[in-house]
Amino acid sequence: MRTNKHGTADFFINVVLYAGLALFGAMTVYPFLNLFAISFNDPLDTIRGGIYLLPRIWSLDNYSIIFSNDRLLGAFLLSIARTIAGTVLGILCTAMFAYALSLKEFMLRKAFNSALVFTLYINGGLIPTYLLIKNLHLMNNFLVYLLPLLVNAFFIIIMRSYFETLPSGLTESAKIDGAGHFQTLFRILLPVSLPVLATITLFVAVTHWNSWFDNYLYASRSPHLSLLQYELMKILLSAMNQSVAQQAHIGESTVSAVTPQAIRAAMTIVVTVPILVVYPFLQNYFIQGMTVGAMKE
Amino acid sequence: MKTGVPPLPGKKPLRPIKPAGVFLRLMKQKELLLMTIPLMALVIVFNYMPLYGWIMAIQDYKVVKGISGSPFVGADKFVQLFQDDQFYLVLRNTLVMGFLNLISGFIGAIVLALALNEIRVKWFKRTVQTITYIPHFVSWVVIANIAHMVLSPDGGLLNVLLQKVGLLESPFYFMAKEQWFWPIHTFLSFWKEVGWSSIIYLAVLSGINPDLYEAADVDGAGRLRKIWHISIPGLMPTAIILLTLSVGWIIQSGYESQFLLGNPIVLDYSEVLDLYAMRYSFQIGDYSIGAAISIFKSFVSILMVLSINYLARRTGSGRLI
């Protein structure tokens, strides 16, 4: 039985809940909408400020500047190439490793499993890894973007856990029909593992698309290996140093250069939109994938 | 391991396994070996080889001589590290930011999950969820750009807002104030990850037996009492495990965010161990200090996990790892 007291209390709780969540949601999404508006606004008009949700003077100038700049266009294309290559290879490797580790009869299962889990807790650290990359002659080499990320223990564990939840009858009948492990994996297991496959694909793709530190550390001297995130980061840092310089010399008339705020907004949108377009469709999958992986650990 | 080939009729079982037997069985699994060994080689190269680089920490490492040629100096580099005042400043920053991230993220994710769990309007719940996941998928470069724009003294949203409300008279340089770096960094990390971290708690909440809530209804419990007596206790086991797992990460509070948000003015509050290691190695050329810092970090990290695990066992919360 609902008493009246609970009724009014409930009403207030609801008001607080909905208002609070709406506010937090707005706080999360607003910066992106604001950047979007600035990026489509006339760059000269932007300096006047006061652009919130919609562009004041519509213009594609910012985007045409970005895509007509050879360096930025090259970085954009390279980022796409890296993401595609890294994701395809990453998924292949994750699936094969996870499949083998999910088989009880695999002789090296225990050893490989422990070796893999260990990497979650211990790593050599920034400097030893840097020297390793240097000694392997991977500096200023496209492979430095791909090889170190090819095997990711966390993703393998998630996928392995998923494979283990599948009924064993699935693979046994294939084996009786004479299918090898490669066939079993690619023809039978992966097609029924769409949720986890979608999850890992998203994770790997996002990792590659968002990377900039490896670019900064290992390939900063090769302009042709520049990635979009790294170019954006360089623009950010120069803008920041400028405003810090301004702050340091308040009163003096220094640094008159206007920060290319509009270009920065447009680049941020270019970097962000591909992910925003993809992930809502995969949302149900990655929630499942996350939950399966985490529960089993 | 006693799995393997079942004995064929008319033949003796293949036990005990002789070396030749192991080899035969390995050959039978050659497809599986083909799938895994090249990948294991990558793990060894990229995850275990750097551990070999730890030797540098007890050497006076010179790039031209390499690890095999550099002279051993014992614990000198650690002594040097522990005598450096800057090291303690950087350690403080790392621990404080790690701790602030851990606590705010932990509480935030639980509160968000509890709030979302109370929402009955499906589309509203789903929209809020979809929105709060966004920042997790966006790089720190983008987040730093956003922060810089929102906090900018030159027409940044927060400054405009505070001036309109009358809380500020002139633009405030948020990013150039030392004491503001920790709060800003914590808030941004929270904002970036809280939606994502709440996924797991939401999953747990949806798994709680609905009978419990019905029984509480019958007993006349209100919303808050049900949250307090059913939802929160239901979350606790998962929350404690996740908290324990993340304690080891306090010292690994990252370096991307601090690198991108920091600037020379706030360096005393923004620099963390990894960035300090990087500066020492690349600017001063002392790679040994860099390696010593990596060892120190791993050591503290393991120590923290083990001691929390020990405490949890002693207090009867069960063995966690």
Side-chain angles (χ1 to χ4, degrees), chain A residues 6 10 14 105 107 115 124 181-182 210 212 229 240 264 279 283, chain B residues 29 31 48 54 56 121 130 134 137 139 145 148-149 220 223 256:
Chain A
H6 277 162
D10 250 16
N14 270 334
E105 76 256 26
M107 284 180 68
H181 287 298
F182 282 98
N210 282 344
W212 61 275
Q229 302 269 0
M240 263 169 74
R264 203 143 58 91
Y279 102 92
Q283 189 173 333
Chain B
Q29 301 192 333
E31 257 191 310
Y48 287 92
W54 280 8
M56 281 188 297
V121 184
T130 308
I134 294 176
F137 292 105
S139 69
N145 262 299
H148 197 63
M149 284 190 160
R223 285 278 272 290
E256 277 191 56

PDB file of all heavy atoms in Angstrom, chain A residues 6 10 14 105 107 115 124 181-182 210 212 229 240 264 279 283, chain B residues 29 31 48 54 56 121 130 134 137 139 145 148-149 220 223 256:
ATOM      1  N   HIS A   6       4.659   8.594   1.084  1.00  0.00           N
ATOM      2  CA  HIS A   6       5.551   8.048   0.060  1.00  0.00           C
ATOM      3  C   HIS A   6       5.294   8.663  -1.299  1.00  0.00           C
ATOM      4  O   HIS A   6       6.197   8.854  -2.087  1.00  0.00           O
ATOM      5  CB  HIS A   6       5.387   6.526  -0.021  1.00  0.00           C
ATOM      6  CG  HIS A   6       6.198   5.832   1.029  1.00  0.00           C
ATOM      7  ND1 HIS A   6       5.964   4.540   1.393  1.00  0.00           N
ATOM      8  CD2 HIS A   6       7.203   6.262   1.786  1.00  0.00           C
ATOM      9  CE1 HIS A   6       6.818   4.203   2.350  1.00  0.00           C
ATOM     10  NE2 HIS A   6       7.579   5.227   2.599  1.00  0.00           N
ATOM     11  N   ASP A  10       8.123  10.341  -3.270  1.00  0.00           N
ATOM     12  CA  ASP A  10       8.440   9.787  -4.583  1.00  0.00           C
ATOM     13  C   ASP A  10       8.499  10.874  -5.639  1.00  0.00           C
ATOM     14  O   ASP A  10       9.389  10.894  -6.472  1.00  0.00           O
ATOM     15  CB  ASP A  10       7.341   8.779  -4.982  1.00  0.00           C
ATOM     16  CG  ASP A  10       7.892   7.372  -4.959  1.00  0.00           C
ATOM     17  OD1 ASP A  10       8.966   7.175  -4.358  1.00  0.00           O
ATOM     18  OD2 ASP A  10       7.255   6.494  -5.548  1.00  0.00           O
ATOM     19  N   ASN A  14      11.703  11.822  -7.865  1.00  0.00           N
ATOM     20  CA  ASN A  14      11.670  11.797  -9.325  1.00  0.00           C
ATOM     21  C   ASN A  14      12.148  13.109  -9.917  1.00  0.00           C
ATOM     22  O   ASN A  14      12.916  13.116 -10.872  1.00  0.00           O
ATOM     23  CB  ASN A  14      10.257  11.493  -9.816  1.00  0.00           C
ATOM     24  CG  ASN A  14      10.057  10.003  -9.982  1.00  0.00           C
ATOM     25  OD1 ASN A  14      11.021   9.281 -10.208  1.00  0.00           O
ATOM     26  ND2 ASN A  14       8.824   9.546  -9.862  1.00  0.00           N
ATOM     27  N   GLU A 105      41.851 -28.709 -24.354  1.00  0.00           N
ATOM     28  CA  GLU A 105      42.865 -29.686 -24.747  1.00  0.00           C
ATOM     29  C   GLU A 105      44.175 -29.044 -25.207  1.00  0.00           C
ATOM     30  O   GLU A 105      45.171 -29.733 -25.382  1.00  0.00           O
ATOM     31  CB  GLU A 105      42.328 -30.613 -25.850  1.00  0.00           C
ATOM     32  CG  GLU A 105      42.265 -30.000 -27.252  1.00  0.00           C
ATOM     33  CD  GLU A 105      40.852 -29.616 -27.647  1.00  0.00           C
ATOM     34  OE1 GLU A 105      40.034 -29.353 -26.742  1.00  0.00           O
ATOM     35  OE2 GLU A 105      40.569 -29.580 -28.863  1.00  0.00           O
ATOM     36  N   MET A 107      47.611 -27.747 -25.206  1.00  0.00           N
ATOM     37  CA  MET A 107      48.648 -28.087 -24.228  1.00  0.00           C
ATOM     38  C   MET A 107      49.300 -26.876 -23.582  1.00  0.00           C
ATOM     39  O   MET A 107      49.704 -26.924 -22.432  1.00  0.00           O
ATOM     40  CB  MET A 107      49.727 -28.929 -24.900  1.00  0.00           C
ATOM     41  CG  MET A 107      49.287 -30.345 -25.129  1.00  0.00           C
ATOM     42  SD  MET A 107      50.601 -31.255 -25.905  1.00  0.00           S
ATOM     43  CE  MET A 107      51.789 -31.316 -24.593  1.00  0.00           C
ATOM     44  N   ALA A 115      51.038 -16.166 -18.797  1.00  0.00           N
ATOM     45  CA  ALA A 115      51.951 -15.165 -19.380  1.00  0.00           C
ATOM     46  C   ALA A 115      51.169 -13.938 -19.831  1.00  0.00           C
ATOM     47  O   ALA A 115      51.645 -12.812 -19.728  1.00  0.00           O
ATOM     48  CB  ALA A 115      52.703 -15.769 -20.553  1.00  0.00           C
ATOM     49  N   GLY A 124      56.943  -2.885 -18.579  1.00  0.00           N
ATOM     50  CA  GLY A 124      58.307  -2.382 -18.454  1.00  0.00           C
ATOM     51  C   GLY A 124      58.389  -0.898 -18.160  1.00  0.00           C
ATOM     52  O   GLY A 124      59.340  -0.425 -17.576  1.00  0.00           O
ATOM     53  N   HIS A 181      41.078 -26.361 -37.012  1.00  0.00           N
ATOM     54  CA  HIS A 181      40.807 -25.288 -36.049  1.00  0.00           C
ATOM     55  C   HIS A 181      40.518 -23.962 -36.725  1.00  0.00           C
ATOM     56  O   HIS A 181      39.661 -23.203 -36.273  1.00  0.00           O
ATOM     57  CB  HIS A 181      42.003 -25.147 -35.099  1.00  0.00           C
ATOM     58  CG  HIS A 181      42.087 -26.265 -34.109  1.00  0.00           C
ATOM     59  ND1 HIS A 181      41.096 -26.503 -33.198  1.00  0.00           N
ATOM     60  CD2 HIS A 181      43.028 -27.211 -33.908  1.00  0.00           C
ATOM     61  CE1 HIS A 181      41.430 -27.548 -32.457  1.00  0.00           C
ATOM     62  NE2 HIS A 181      42.596 -28.000 -32.875  1.00  0.00           N
ATOM     63  N   PHE A 182      41.254 -23.667 -37.809  1.00  0.00           N
ATOM     64  CA  PHE A 182      41.025 -22.401 -38.490  1.00  0.00           C
ATOM     65  C   PHE A 182      39.595 -22.333 -39.018  1.00  0.00           C
ATOM     66  O   PHE A 182      38.904 -21.326 -38.865  1.00  0.00           O
ATOM     67  CB  PHE A 182      42.020 -22.216 -39.647  1.00  0.00           C
ATOM     68  CG  PHE A 182      43.376 -21.785 -39.189  1.00  0.00           C
ATOM     69  CD1 PHE A 182      44.400 -22.708 -39.033  1.00  0.00           C
ATOM     70  CD2 PHE A 182      43.630 -20.454 -38.889  1.00  0.00           C
ATOM     71  CE1 PHE A 182      45.650 -22.311 -38.596  1.00  0.00           C
ATOM     72  CE2 PHE A 182      44.873 -20.045 -38.452  1.00  0.00           C
ATOM     73  CZ  PHE A 182      45.895 -20.987 -38.303  1.00  0.00           C
ATOM     74  N   ASN A 210      42.333   6.901 -31.656  1.00  0.00           N
ATOM     75  CA  ASN A 210      42.644   7.911 -30.639  1.00  0.00           C
ATOM     76  C   ASN A 210      44.127   8.043 -30.319  1.00  0.00           C
ATOM     77  O   ASN A 210      44.520   8.913 -29.563  1.00  0.00           O
ATOM     78  CB  ASN A 210      41.890   7.608 -29.347  1.00  0.00           C
ATOM     79  CG  ASN A 210      40.437   8.021 -29.428  1.00  0.00           C
ATOM     80  OD1 ASN A 210      40.053   8.782 -30.308  1.00  0.00           O
ATOM     81  ND2 ASN A 210      39.631   7.511 -28.528  1.00  0.00           N
ATOM     82  N   TRP A 212      47.899   8.972 -30.130  1.00  0.00           N
ATOM     83  CA  TRP A 212      48.765  10.060 -30.583  1.00  0.00           C
ATOM     84  C   TRP A 212      50.109   9.973 -29.878  1.00  0.00           C
ATOM     85  O   TRP A 212      51.108  10.450 -30.376  1.00  0.00           O
ATOM     86  CB  TRP A 212      48.118  11.407 -30.264  1.00  0.00           C
ATOM     87  CG  TRP A 212      47.892  11.600 -28.794  1.00  0.00           C
ATOM     88  CD1 TRP A 212      46.814  11.170 -28.084  1.00  0.00           C
ATOM     89  CD2 TRP A 212      48.774  12.216 -27.859  1.00  0.00           C
ATOM     90  NE1 TRP A 212      46.982  11.483 -26.761  1.00  0.00           N
ATOM     91  CE2 TRP A 212      48.173  12.129 -26.591  1.00  0.00           C
ATOM     92  CE3 TRP A 212      50.019  12.837 -27.975  1.00  0.00           C
ATOM     93  CZ2 TRP A 212      48.767  12.626 -25.439  1.00  0.00           C
ATOM     94  CZ3 TRP A 212      50.608  13.339 -26.827  1.00  0.00           C
ATOM     95  CH2 TRP A 212      49.979  13.236 -25.578  1.00  0.00           C
ATOM     96  N   GLN A 229      45.283  12.933 -34.763  1.00  0.00           N
ATOM     97  CA  GLN A 229      45.245  13.293 -33.342  1.00  0.00           C
ATOM     98  C   GLN A 229      46.514  14.042 -32.935  1.00  0.00           C
ATOM     99  O   GLN A 229      46.475  14.949 -32.115  1.00  0.00           O
ATOM    100  CB  GLN A 229      45.130  12.038 -32.463  1.00  0.00           C
ATOM    101  CG  GLN A 229      43.933  11.194 -32.754  1.00  0.00           C
ATOM    102  CD  GLN A 229      42.732  11.561 -31.910  1.00  0.00           C
ATOM    103  OE1 GLN A 229      42.777  12.466 -31.082  1.00  0.00           O
ATOM    104  NE2 GLN A 229      41.635  10.858 -32.128  1.00  0.00           N
ATOM    105  N   MET A 240      47.879  26.619 -26.306  1.00  0.00           N
ATOM    106  CA  MET A 240      47.997  26.716 -24.856  1.00  0.00           C
ATOM    107  C   MET A 240      49.213  27.540 -24.462  1.00  0.00           C
ATOM    108  O   MET A 240      49.146  28.394 -23.593  1.00  0.00           O
ATOM    109  CB  MET A 240      48.088  25.324 -24.240  1.00  0.00           C
ATOM    110  CG  MET A 240      46.747  24.864 -23.750  1.00  0.00           C
ATOM    111  SD  MET A 240      46.715  23.139 -23.318  1.00  0.00           S
ATOM    112  CE  MET A 240      47.596  23.098 -21.827  1.00  0.00           C
ATOM    113  N   ARG A 264      40.605  24.785 -34.890  1.00  0.00           N
ATOM    114  CA  ARG A 264      40.761  23.788 -33.824  1.00  0.00           C
ATOM    115  C   ARG A 264      39.425  23.072 -33.571  1.00  0.00           C
ATOM    116  O   ARG A 264      39.377  21.854 -33.430  1.00  0.00           O
ATOM    117  CB  ARG A 264      41.225  24.498 -32.550  1.00  0.00           C
ATOM    118  CG  ARG A 264      41.919  23.643 -31.567  1.00  0.00           C
ATOM    119  CD  ARG A 264      43.060  24.393 -30.896  1.00  0.00           C
ATOM    120  NE  ARG A 264      42.610  25.605 -30.224  1.00  0.00           N
ATOM    121  CZ  ARG A 264      42.225  25.637 -28.949  1.00  0.00           C
ATOM    122  NH1 ARG A 264      42.248  24.539 -28.227  1.00  0.00           N
ATOM    123  NH2 ARG A 264      41.841  26.756 -28.397  1.00  0.00           N
ATOM    124  N   TYR A 279      29.372   4.390 -32.640  1.00  0.00           N
ATOM    125  CA  TYR A 279      29.196   3.667 -31.393  1.00  0.00           C
ATOM    126  C   TYR A 279      27.759   3.475 -30.902  1.00  0.00           C
ATOM    127  O   TYR A 279      27.461   2.427 -30.320  1.00  0.00           O
ATOM    128  CB  TYR A 279      30.115   4.259 -30.313  1.00  0.00           C
ATOM    129  CG  TYR A 279      29.432   5.145 -29.332  1.00  0.00           C
ATOM    130  CD1 TYR A 279      28.939   4.602 -28.146  1.00  0.00           C
ATOM    131  CD2 TYR A 279      29.248   6.482 -29.583  1.00  0.00           C
ATOM    132  CE1 TYR A 279      28.291   5.411 -27.244  1.00  0.00           C
ATOM    133  CE2 TYR A 279      28.607   7.283 -28.690  1.00  0.00           C
ATOM    134  CZ  TYR A 279      28.126   6.759 -27.529  1.00  0.00           C
ATOM    135  OH  TYR A 279      27.481   7.544 -26.649  1.00  0.00           O
ATOM    136  N   GLN A 283      26.209  -0.026 -29.159  1.00  0.00           N
ATOM    137  CA  GLN A 283      26.058   0.123 -27.715  1.00  0.00           C
ATOM    138  C   GLN A 283      25.562  -1.145 -27.024  1.00  0.00           C
ATOM    139  O   GLN A 283      26.148  -1.602 -26.036  1.00  0.00           O
ATOM    140  CB  GLN A 283      25.109   1.274 -27.430  1.00  0.00           C
ATOM    141  CG  GLN A 283      25.057   1.657 -25.974  1.00  0.00           C
ATOM    142  CD  GLN A 283      24.228   2.902 -25.773  1.00  0.00           C
ATOM    143  OE1 GLN A 283      24.108   3.722 -26.669  1.00  0.00           O
ATOM    144  NE2 GLN A 283      23.646   3.051 -24.615  1.00  0.00           N
TER     145      GLN A 283
ATOM    146  N   GLN B  29      48.675 -30.726 -32.420  1.00  0.00           N
ATOM    147  CA  GLN B  29      48.037 -29.425 -32.210  1.00  0.00           C
ATOM    148  C   GLN B  29      48.726 -28.339 -33.017  1.00  0.00           C
ATOM    149  O   GLN B  29      48.724 -27.181 -32.623  1.00  0.00           O
ATOM    150  CB  GLN B  29      48.065 -29.088 -30.720  1.00  0.00           C
ATOM    151  CG  GLN B  29      47.353 -30.115 -29.883  1.00  0.00           C
ATOM    152  CD  GLN B  29      47.141 -29.641 -28.457  1.00  0.00           C
ATOM    153  OE1 GLN B  29      47.898 -28.824 -27.957  1.00  0.00           O
ATOM    154  NE2 GLN B  29      46.115 -30.152 -27.812  1.00  0.00           N
ATOM    155  N   GLU B  31      48.096 -26.784 -35.625  1.00  0.00           N
ATOM    156  CA  GLU B  31      47.268 -25.651 -36.048  1.00  0.00           C
ATOM    157  C   GLU B  31      47.126 -24.633 -34.920  1.00  0.00           C
ATOM    158  O   GLU B  31      47.202 -23.429 -35.133  1.00  0.00           O
ATOM    159  CB  GLU B  31      45.882 -26.140 -36.463  1.00  0.00           C
ATOM    160  CG  GLU B  31      45.701 -26.190 -37.961  1.00  0.00           C
ATOM    161  CD  GLU B  31      44.250 -26.419 -38.324  1.00  0.00           C
ATOM    162  OE1 GLU B  31      43.643 -27.369 -37.764  1.00  0.00           O
ATOM    163  OE2 GLU B  31      43.712 -25.664 -39.136  1.00  0.00           O
ATOM    164  N   TYR B  48      57.564  -8.426 -22.390  1.00  0.00           N
ATOM    165  CA  TYR B  48      58.576  -8.966 -21.480  1.00  0.00           C
ATOM    166  C   TYR B  48      59.976  -8.419 -21.732  1.00  0.00           C
ATOM    167  O   TYR B  48      60.749  -8.262 -20.800  1.00  0.00           O
ATOM    168  CB  TYR B  48      58.563 -10.500 -21.516  1.00  0.00           C
ATOM    169  CG  TYR B  48      57.353 -11.054 -20.814  1.00  0.00           C
ATOM    170  CD1 TYR B  48      56.180 -11.332 -21.515  1.00  0.00           C
ATOM    171  CD2 TYR B  48      57.347 -11.244 -19.441  1.00  0.00           C
ATOM    172  CE1 TYR B  48      55.048 -11.799 -20.869  1.00  0.00           C
ATOM    173  CE2 TYR B  48      56.216 -11.706 -18.782  1.00  0.00           C
ATOM    174  CZ  TYR B  48      55.074 -11.983 -19.502  1.00  0.00           C
ATOM    175  OH  TYR B  48      53.960 -12.429 -18.845  1.00  0.00           O
ATOM    176  N   TRP B  54      64.977  -3.186 -17.409  1.00  0.00           N
ATOM    177  CA  TRP B  54      65.064  -2.769 -16.012  1.00  0.00           C
ATOM    178  C   TRP B  54      66.494  -2.811 -15.497  1.00  0.00           C
ATOM    179  O   TRP B  54      66.836  -2.129 -14.527  1.00  0.00           O
ATOM    180  CB  TRP B  54      64.162  -3.638 -15.138  1.00  0.00           C
ATOM    181  CG  TRP B  54      62.725  -3.225 -15.205  1.00  0.00           C
ATOM    182  CD1 TRP B  54      62.197  -2.300 -16.050  1.00  0.00           C
ATOM    183  CD2 TRP B  54      61.647  -3.693 -14.396  1.00  0.00           C
ATOM    184  NE1 TRP B  54      60.849  -2.162 -15.824  1.00  0.00           N
ATOM    185  CE2 TRP B  54      60.484  -3.011 -14.817  1.00  0.00           C
ATOM    186  CE3 TRP B  54      61.534  -4.635 -13.364  1.00  0.00           C
ATOM    187  CZ2 TRP B  54      59.234  -3.229 -14.240  1.00  0.00           C
ATOM    188  CZ3 TRP B  54      60.297  -4.851 -12.784  1.00  0.00           C
ATOM    189  CH2 TRP B  54      59.155  -4.155 -13.220  1.00  0.00           C
ATOM    190  N   MET B  56      68.889  -1.539 -16.702  1.00  0.00           N
ATOM    191  CA  MET B  56      69.444  -0.185 -16.824  1.00  0.00           C
ATOM    192  C   MET B  56      69.453   0.568 -15.506  1.00  0.00           C
ATOM    193  O   MET B  56      70.310   1.417 -15.282  1.00  0.00           O
ATOM    194  CB  MET B  56      68.601   0.630 -17.812  1.00  0.00           C
ATOM    195  CG  MET B  56      68.878   0.345 -19.244  1.00  0.00           C
ATOM    196  SD  MET B  56      67.992   1.532 -20.272  1.00  0.00           S
ATOM    197  CE  MET B  56      66.317   1.141 -19.877  1.00  0.00           C
ATOM    198  N   VAL B 121      11.252   5.701 -17.336  1.00  0.00           N
ATOM    199  CA  VAL B 121      10.999   6.100 -18.728  1.00  0.00           C
ATOM    200  C   VAL B 121      12.164   5.621 -19.594  1.00  0.00           C
ATOM    201  O   VAL B 121      13.266   6.159 -19.512  1.00  0.00           O
ATOM    202  CB  VAL B 121      10.850   7.632 -18.845  1.00  0.00           C
ATOM    203  CG1 VAL B 121      10.498   8.033 -20.265  1.00  0.00           C
ATOM    204  CG2 VAL B 121       9.789   8.118 -17.877  1.00  0.00           C
ATOM    205  N   THR B 130      23.502   6.783 -23.428  1.00  0.00           N
ATOM    206  CA  THR B 130      24.241   6.977 -24.680  1.00  0.00           C
ATOM    207  C   THR B 130      25.109   8.220 -24.606  1.00  0.00           C
ATOM    208  O   THR B 130      26.265   8.217 -25.016  1.00  0.00           O
ATOM    209  CB  THR B 130      23.259   7.094 -25.856  1.00  0.00           C
ATOM    210  OG1 THR B 130      22.379   5.993 -25.810  1.00  0.00           O
ATOM    211  CG2 THR B 130      23.992   7.106 -27.172  1.00  0.00           C
ATOM    212  N   ILE B 134      29.740   8.892 -24.344  1.00  0.00           N
ATOM    213  CA  ILE B 134      30.492   9.560 -25.429  1.00  0.00           C
ATOM    214  C   ILE B 134      31.946   9.874 -25.043  1.00  0.00           C
ATOM    215  O   ILE B 134      32.869   9.450 -25.737  1.00  0.00           O
ATOM    216  CB  ILE B 134      29.798  10.868 -25.886  1.00  0.00           C
ATOM    217  CG1 ILE B 134      28.461  10.557 -26.543  1.00  0.00           C
ATOM    218  CG2 ILE B 134      30.682  11.632 -26.872  1.00  0.00           C
ATOM    219  CD1 ILE B 134      27.672  11.802 -26.932  1.00  0.00           C
ATOM    220  N   PHE B 137      34.898   7.412 -25.370  1.00  0.00           N
ATOM    221  CA  PHE B 137      35.403   6.994 -26.675  1.00  0.00           C
ATOM    222  C   PHE B 137      36.218   8.073 -27.373  1.00  0.00           C
ATOM    223  O   PHE B 137      36.697   7.878 -28.476  1.00  0.00           O
ATOM    224  CB  PHE B 137      34.239   6.575 -27.577  1.00  0.00           C
ATOM    225  CG  PHE B 137      33.580   5.325 -27.117  1.00  0.00           C
ATOM    226  CD1 PHE B 137      32.355   5.352 -26.489  1.00  0.00           C
ATOM    227  CD2 PHE B 137      34.204   4.099 -27.293  1.00  0.00           C
ATOM    228  CE1 PHE B 137      31.761   4.195 -26.054  1.00  0.00           C
ATOM    229  CE2 PHE B 137      33.619   2.937 -26.859  1.00  0.00           C
ATOM    230  CZ  PHE B 137      32.390   2.977 -26.232  1.00  0.00           C
ATOM    231  N   SER B 139      39.372  10.835 -27.556  1.00  0.00           N
ATOM    232  CA  SER B 139      40.747  10.856 -27.057  1.00  0.00           C
ATOM    233  C   SER B 139      40.962  11.997 -26.064  1.00  0.00           C
ATOM    234  O   SER B 139      40.210  12.969 -26.029  1.00  0.00           O
ATOM    235  CB  SER B 139      41.717  11.029 -28.219  1.00  0.00           C
ATOM    236  OG  SER B 139      41.582  12.326 -28.746  1.00  0.00           O
ATOM    237  N   ASN B 145      41.210  19.725 -25.620  1.00  0.00           N
ATOM    238  CA  ASN B 145      40.754  20.832 -26.459  1.00  0.00           C
ATOM    239  C   ASN B 145      39.463  21.436 -25.920  1.00  0.00           C
ATOM    240  O   ASN B 145      39.311  22.655 -25.859  1.00  0.00           O
ATOM    241  CB  ASN B 145      40.526  20.344 -27.896  1.00  0.00           C
ATOM    242  CG  ASN B 145      41.706  20.653 -28.784  1.00  0.00           C
ATOM    243  OD1 ASN B 145      42.064  21.803 -28.969  1.00  0.00           O
ATOM    244  ND2 ASN B 145      42.332  19.616 -29.314  1.00  0.00           N
ATOM    245  N   HIS B 148      40.119  23.303 -22.737  1.00  0.00           N
ATOM    246  CA  HIS B 148      40.781  24.560 -23.009  1.00  0.00           C
ATOM    247  C   HIS B 148      39.802  25.609 -23.522  1.00  0.00           C
ATOM    248  O   HIS B 148      39.883  26.780 -23.185  1.00  0.00           O
ATOM    249  CB  HIS B 148      41.903  24.324 -24.017  1.00  0.00           C
ATOM    250  CG  HIS B 148      42.888  25.432 -24.055  1.00  0.00           C
ATOM    251  ND1 HIS B 148      43.666  25.761 -22.971  1.00  0.00           N
ATOM    252  CD2 HIS B 148      43.213  26.304 -25.024  1.00  0.00           C
ATOM    253  CE1 HIS B 148      44.421  26.792 -23.285  1.00  0.00           C
ATOM    254  NE2 HIS B 148      44.173  27.138 -24.531  1.00  0.00           N
ATOM    255  N   MET B 149      38.859  25.156 -24.349  1.00  0.00           N
ATOM    256  CA  MET B 149      37.890  26.104 -24.901  1.00  0.00           C
ATOM    257  C   MET B 149      36.887  26.556 -23.843  1.00  0.00           C
ATOM    258  O   MET B 149      36.553  27.736 -23.766  1.00  0.00           O
ATOM    259  CB  MET B 149      37.158  25.457 -26.084  1.00  0.00           C
ATOM    260  CG  MET B 149      38.029  25.423 -27.320  1.00  0.00           C
ATOM    261  SD  MET B 149      37.073  24.944 -28.762  1.00  0.00           S
ATOM    262  CE  MET B 149      38.106  25.569 -30.075  1.00  0.00           C
ATOM    263  N   GLY B 220       6.317  -1.548   3.316  1.00  0.00           N
ATOM    264  CA  GLY B 220       6.120  -0.104   3.360  1.00  0.00           C
ATOM    265  C   GLY B 220       7.383   0.721   3.213  1.00  0.00           C
ATOM    266  O   GLY B 220       7.448   1.849   3.671  1.00  0.00           O
ATOM    267  N   ARG B 223      11.289   4.685  -1.646  1.00  0.00           N
ATOM    268  CA  ARG B 223      12.345   4.592  -2.657  1.00  0.00           C
ATOM    269  C   ARG B 223      13.736   4.565  -2.028  1.00  0.00           C
ATOM    270  O   ARG B 223      14.550   3.682  -2.305  1.00  0.00           O
ATOM    271  CB  ARG B 223      12.265   5.789  -3.614  1.00  0.00           C
ATOM    272  CG  ARG B 223      11.157   5.728  -4.620  1.00  0.00           C
ATOM    273  CD  ARG B 223      11.526   4.898  -5.804  1.00  0.00           C
ATOM    274  NE  ARG B 223      12.210   5.610  -6.890  1.00  0.00           N
ATOM    275  CZ  ARG B 223      11.624   6.503  -7.680  1.00  0.00           C
ATOM    276  NH1 ARG B 223      10.386   6.886  -7.476  1.00  0.00           N
ATOM    277  NH2 ARG B 223      12.297   7.032  -8.685  1.00  0.00           N
ATOM    278  N   GLU B 256      48.875  10.882 -20.209  1.00  0.00           N
ATOM    279  CA  GLU B 256      48.327  11.614 -21.355  1.00  0.00           C
ATOM    280  C   GLU B 256      47.605  12.867 -20.901  1.00  0.00           C
ATOM    281  O   GLU B 256      47.831  13.952 -21.420  1.00  0.00           O
ATOM    282  CB  GLU B 256      47.329  10.733 -22.109  1.00  0.00           C
ATOM    283  CG  GLU B 256      47.948   9.783 -23.079  1.00  0.00           C
ATOM    284  CD  GLU B 256      46.877   9.144 -23.959  1.00  0.00           C
ATOM    285  OE1 GLU B 256      46.131   9.881 -24.611  1.00  0.00           O
ATOM    286  OE2 GLU B 256      46.786   7.902 -23.975  1.00  0.00           O
TER     287      GLU B 256
END
